[in-house]
Amino acid sequence: MAIVEWSDDFKLGEAEIDRKHWGLFALSNDLSDQHAQGAGDASITSTVDAWAAYVDVDFQHEERLMRTVGYPELDSHIELHVALARRVEEYKAAFECQAARFASNGFTTFLTEWLTDYILHEDMQFAKYHHRH
C-alpha cells in the first residue's frame, strides 16, 4: 500500500530530477510495505541503504544544476541535503543497533513527510528560478 502517491504536483519540469524523485517515492513506499509485511532486517537495511544512495545521487545532480544556473539559494539548499543525509544515517545506525525495537514506520513517515515538503517547497522554488533563467 502506497503511503505517498506520485503525482504531477511533484514534477519540477526537469526530467532527470523528476525521475529521481519518483524513485524516492517508490523506495519510501517499498519500505512502508516491508514494514507492514514484517520483512526481515536484511531486506529493510537494503532498502534504507538504497534510499540513502539514491538521495546522494539526486542531491549531487541537483547541486550541479544549481551551480550551473547560479541559484542564489544553493548554500541553504545544500544545508538541507546535509541535514537529511545526517538524519538518514542516524536512523540507519538506530536500526542496526536495535532492529527489533526500531520504529520503521516512524522512519518511513519522516522520509515521506520530508520528501513531499522538500519537493513542494524547496525544489519548486529552485524550479521556478531555473525556468526563469
Side-chain angles (χ1 to χ4, degrees):
M1 180 177 92
I3 57 170
V4 62
E5 294 286 339
W6 177 260
S7 73
D8 286 348
D9 294 341
F10 295 106
K11 287 186 176 179
L12 302 181
E14 209 285 326
E16 185 67 20
I17 291 175
D18 288 339
R19 199 170 20 261
K20 286 181 171 72
H21 286 167
W22 179 89
L24 290 170
F25 275 60
L27 284 169
S28 295
N29 288 327
D30 188 38
L31 189 60
S32 176
D33 290 345
Q34 289 175 357
H35 172 73
Q37 297 167 3
D41 295 351
S43 180
I44 291 172
T45 298
S46 177
T47 302
V48 171
D49 287 346
W51 206 95
Y54 211 89
V55 158
D56 188 48
V57 169
D58 177 48
F59 288 171
Q60 288 176 25
H61 176 77
E62 281 184 15
E63 291 169 14
R64 273 193 309 275
L65 185 57
M66 289 175 178
R67 280 186 188 87
T68 300
V69 299
Y71 186 53
E73 301 299 320
L74 174 62
D75 290 340
S76 63
H77 207 93
I78 289 173
E79 288 176 19
L80 292 171
H81 292 173
V82 169
L84 176 66
R86 188 176 308 120
R87 190 82 183 266
V88 169
E89 287 302 318
E90 289 169 1
Y91 274 111
K92 281 176 52 178
F95 179 77
E96 289 166 1
C97 287
Q98 292 186 326
R101 296 176 46 132
F102 182 75
S104 61
N105 59 335
F107 180 51
T108 305
T109 299
F110 162 75
L111 291 176
T112 56
E113 287 175 357
W114 189 94
L115 185 59
T116 56
D117 184 62
Y118 168 78
I119 292 171
L120 293 175
H121 297 100
E122 302 301 328
D123 276 354
M124 285 297 175
Q125 183 179 343
F126 167 66
K128 289 175 186 173
Y129 178 88
H130 183 239
H131 293 299
R132 286 193 314 261
H133 297 86

